[in-house]
Amino acid sequence: MTISSNIFNTESHPRRIDYPKELNEAQYQAVTTVAGPVLVIAGAGSGKTRTLVYRLAYLVEQGVDPESILLLTFTRKSAQEMLTRAVHLLNQHLGAVTGGTFHSVCYQWLRQYGDRVGYPHGFNIMDRGDQGDLLQMLKERFGFKHPAGSFPKKDTMADIFSAVVNKSITLEALLIRDYPQFLAQRDELAKIQMAYWQEKRSNHLMDYDDLLVEGRRLLAEHEDVRRRLSERFQYVMVDEYQDTNLLQADLVRLLAFTHHNVMAVGDDSQSIYSFRGADFRNIMDFPRLFPGARIIKLEENYRSTQPILDLANAVIAGAREKYTKCLFSRKAEGDRPRLFRTASENEQSRLVVSQVEDLKRQGIPLKEMAVLVRAGYHSFDLEIELTRAGIHFVKFGGFKFVESAHIKDILAYLRVLANPRDTLSWHRLLLLVPGVGRQSCARFDTQMGSNFTIEAALNWLRSQKRPAQLKALADLIDSMQAPGKTVVALMSQTLEFYEPLAQGRYDDYPKRMKDLEHLLAIASRYRSLRSFLNDLTLEPPASAADLAPPPQDYLTVSTIHSAKGLEWDAVFVLWAAEGRFPGFYSQEREDELEEERRLMYVAITRARKYLGVAYPAIGYSRQFGMTYNAPSRFVADIPRSLLEPWRVEVSET
C-alpha cells in the first residue's frame, strides 16, 4: 500500500535547511535540479538515500504541493524510512506525499480505474499459495500425468510464469535459458499458462505480477487516465532505478508523459538482479527515453578507505558499458586490499578463521565482519571450520550447509555405513524411495527389533516385493561396504545413485547437484568416513538450537546478492577464481559476464577498512577431479599497487 507522511507528528516550527552546507556539490546539484529528467548515478556509499530525502524536502520548501510528489521504491520499508527522515529534516508535515512500491501504486490505480481494463466489479489479489493451488487444479483438469519429477511442481510453475512476466520474454525462451529440464513440457506449460490467465480474468483475480501488467495497460491504453495521473504526480522520484524491469521502466515513462519531471537514482555498477527480471538497459537507456536528461554523478564515498575504492574503480573500469565514475573518499589512509592465494579450499577456510580471530583480537567485533561468496555452496567448507573454531556465524542467502535437505539426504547413505543402528538415517533413505511411506518405516523397525545389523537391514530390503528400488538401495549399500573405499569414492557412488531421486524430488535439482559436487570436494580431503561425518554433525531439525535467536555478536556469511546495501569494517571475498567467480556458464554470455563483474564491484564496496580477496590454487570437481585454479579475471590483472599479494601461515588441523 502507499504511505502518506501524515502519519508522523512533528513540532510546530519548520526548519530551514542550509542545503549547500549539508550536502556535497554533486548532491546539491541533484537535490536542486527540479525541472526535467535527471539521472543520478549514485556510486556505492555516496549518500543516495540522503540525496532523495533532501530533494523531497527541497521540493516542499520550494512550494511544490506534496500531493504532486510520488516516491517509488522497491520496499515499503524504504519509502517509509525516507518519508520519516524528510519529515524530521523539515520538522513539519509533508502532507499527502505518496510513497510506495510500484506494485502498491498500481494497486491503488487499478482499484480506482479497474473497469477500464476489464475489472468492473473489482478484483482480489492472490497470494503465492493461491497461485500454486490454482495451477495445480489446472494441471489436474488437463490430466497432465508424467513420471515423478518430469513436470514442474505448482510452486515452480508459479515461478516460471512470474519470470516470463518480469523478464518480458516468451515461455520457451525462459525454459531454454533457466529451466532446460522442463523444455520437453513447453506445450503443456503453455496450455496451463493460457488457462491460468483466463481463469484469473473470469474470476476477477490478480496475482502480484498482474498489478504491473494491468497498471501499465491502464496507462498505455487510456490516455485520459494517463493524463490525469501524470498531471497529479508532477514530480516522480525512483529509487534503485538499476533494479527496475521493463514493465516498471514503462510505467515511469508513461506516468511522466506530460512533464518529464523524473529523477531516477541508481548505480549501473550495482545492477545485479537480472535473475529477478531487473534490466541493466533501463538505466543505460534513460537518456534516450528522456531526451535532454541531465546526468549527475555522486562519486564521493562516505564508507570506505581510498585503497578499497581504488580497487573497486579498477575492477569496474573493465566493464564493457558503464557510466564512467571514480569513487573517492576523504579517508585517504588505509591498508591495501589483500589477495590471498591458498593451496586448497580448506586452507582458504582456515585462513579466514585465522584472520577473523586476529581482527577480533585487534578490537573489531564479529558483527563488523563479513565473508561474501558468489554462491551459497562456496561457503560450505568455511562453515565447517567456523563451527570447529567456535565462531558464531549467521548465513544469509542460500541454505545454511547443515540445514539443506539434499545434504541431509546424501549424508544419510554414509551415516548408515558408519552406524548401522542409525534409525533416523535409515528412515530418511527409505522415504527417498518413491512409494515408501511411514507405514513401511514402521514395519522396518518392527522387523529389525533390537538385533539390528546392516546385513539384516539389507535382507529386509531385498525381501520386499514393492517397490523395486528397495533392492537397488540394498545393492548400493552392500557395494559401499567393500573394503578399501575412500570417502570420496563412497560419495561419488552415492551421488550417482541419488541424482535420479533428486530429479524426482526437487524441481531445482541441477542447483542442488552443484551443492553436492561441492560436498564431494570437501570429502576429497578426508581419509576417515567417521571424521568426515563428525565434522558434518547435523542437529535434529526441531532442536532448541534451531529456535534460539542468533548470538548478539556473530560473523556474517552471505551471498553477495544478499549483502547489497550493507557494509562492514572487514570483508572477505572467497573463491575469486575463474570458473567460480565468474562461473563457467556465465562466461558463455557477455551480459552475464558483465553482471559477474558488477557483483565483484558490489562485494568490494561493502568493506569500510579491511578487504581480503581469496582463492584456492587447487579445487575439486566431480567431472574433472583435481583442478588448478587461476585467479578471477576481475582481479588477475589488477596492479599490485592496488591489490597486495599476501601470504599467511595457516596451521594444520
Side-chain angles (χ1 to χ4, degrees), residues 179-231:
Y179 296 89
Q181 66 269 35
F182 300 126
L183 196 55
Q185 286 76 48
R186 59 184 176 273
D187 292 339
E188 291 102 321
L189 286 169
K191 191 172 182 179
I192 291 176
Q193 182 187 34
M194 177 59 70
Y196 176 59
W197 182 83
Q198 292 170 341
E199 197 76 18
K200 288 186 294 181
R201 298 288 295 188
S202 62
N203 290 287
H204 308 290
L205 298 171
M206 286 193 196
D207 61 30
Y208 197 57
D209 300 316
D210 289 329
L211 294 172
L212 296 184
V213 173
E214 299 298 342
R216 179 181 66 171
R217 190 158 74 93
L218 175 68
L219 297 185
E221 297 179 3
H222 300 277
E223 184 177 347
D224 62 322
V225 176
R226 181 168 77 248
R227 183 173 298 278
R228 193 175 306 161
L229 291 173
S230 182
E231 289 176 348

Side-chain angles (χ1 to χ4, degrees), residues 176-321:
I176 291 171
R177 177 167 176 157
D178 297 334
Y179 296 89
Q181 66 269 35
F182 300 126
L183 196 55
Q185 286 76 48
R186 59 184 176 273
D187 292 339
E188 291 102 321
L189 286 169
K191 191 172 182 179
I192 291 176
Q193 182 187 34
M194 177 59 70
Y196 176 59
W197 182 83
Q198 292 170 341
E199 197 76 18
K200 288 186 294 181
R201 298 288 295 188
S202 62
N203 290 287
H204 308 290
L205 298 171
M206 286 193 196
D207 61 30
Y208 197 57
D209 300 316
D210 289 329
L211 294 172
L212 296 184
V213 173
E214 299 298 342
R216 179 181 66 171
R217 190 158 74 93
L218 175 68
L219 297 185
E221 297 179 3
H222 300 277
E223 184 177 347
D224 62 322
V225 176
R226 181 168 77 248
R227 183 173 298 278
R228 193 175 306 161
L229 291 173
S230 182
E231 289 176 348
R232 177 189 169 184
F233 296 114
Q234 289 284 317
Y235 298 91
V236 179
M237 293 187 286
V238 188
D239 187 24
E240 302 285 11
Y241 192 76
Q242 80 281 348
D243 293 337
T244 55
N245 61 28
L246 289 174
L247 282 169
Q248 290 160 331
D250 266 358
L251 282 164
V252 173
R253 178 180 57 82
L254 290 165
L255 186 61
F257 92 109
T258 64
H259 50 72
H260 286 185
N261 294 332
V262 174
M263 186 173 86
V265 182
D267 184 4
D268 55 298
S269 299
Q270 296 187 71
S271 179
I272 60 172
Y273 293 120
S274 64
F275 68 95
R276 295 181 187 168
D279 196 321
F280 175 73
R281 295 258 36 103
N282 287 346
I283 195 166
M284 300 308 298
D285 291 345
F286 186 91
R288 179 178 62 80
L289 293 175
F290 293 94
R294 182 175 182 183
I295 299 174
I296 299 171
K297 299 174 184 178
L298 306 185
E299 298 173 289
E300 182 172 356
N301 177 285
Y302 295 91
R303 175 188 301 158
S304 308
T305 60
Q306 192 60 49
I308 291 172
L309 298 180
D310 289 340
L311 175 61
N313 290 331
V315 167
I316 207 63
R320 173 175 54 88
E321 188 175 8

Side-chain angles (χ1 to χ4, degrees), residues 479-537:
S479 171
M480 290 169 70
Q481 290 187 96
K485 289 202 171 183
T486 63
V487 178
V488 73
L490 292 171
M491 270 286 299
S492 297
Q493 191 174 357
T494 306
L495 282 178
E496 185 176 350
F497 182 85
Y498 178 72
E499 186 164 4
L501 294 175
Q503 185 171 350
R505 196 172 185 86
Y506 306 111
D507 281 348
D508 62 345
Y509 76 90
K511 177 180 179 298
R512 292 177 187 258
M513 290 308 296
K514 283 186 180 179
D515 289 355
L516 293 172
E517 288 184 17
H518 202 80
L519 180 62
L520 184 66
I522 294 173
S524 68
R525 63 181 171 87
Y526 284 85
R527 295 182 179 180
S528 162
L529 177 60
R530 194 169 295 279
S531 296
F532 176 62
L533 293 173
N534 284 343
D535 281 352
L536 299 174
T537 298

Side-chain angles (χ1 to χ4, degrees), residues 121-137:
H121 307 296
F123 56 88
N124 288 334
I125 300 295
M126 295 189 296
D127 62 21
R128 203 49 177 253
D130 295 331
Q131 284 180 262
D133 291 343
L134 176 54
L135 290 168
Q136 182 65 27
M137 182 193 76

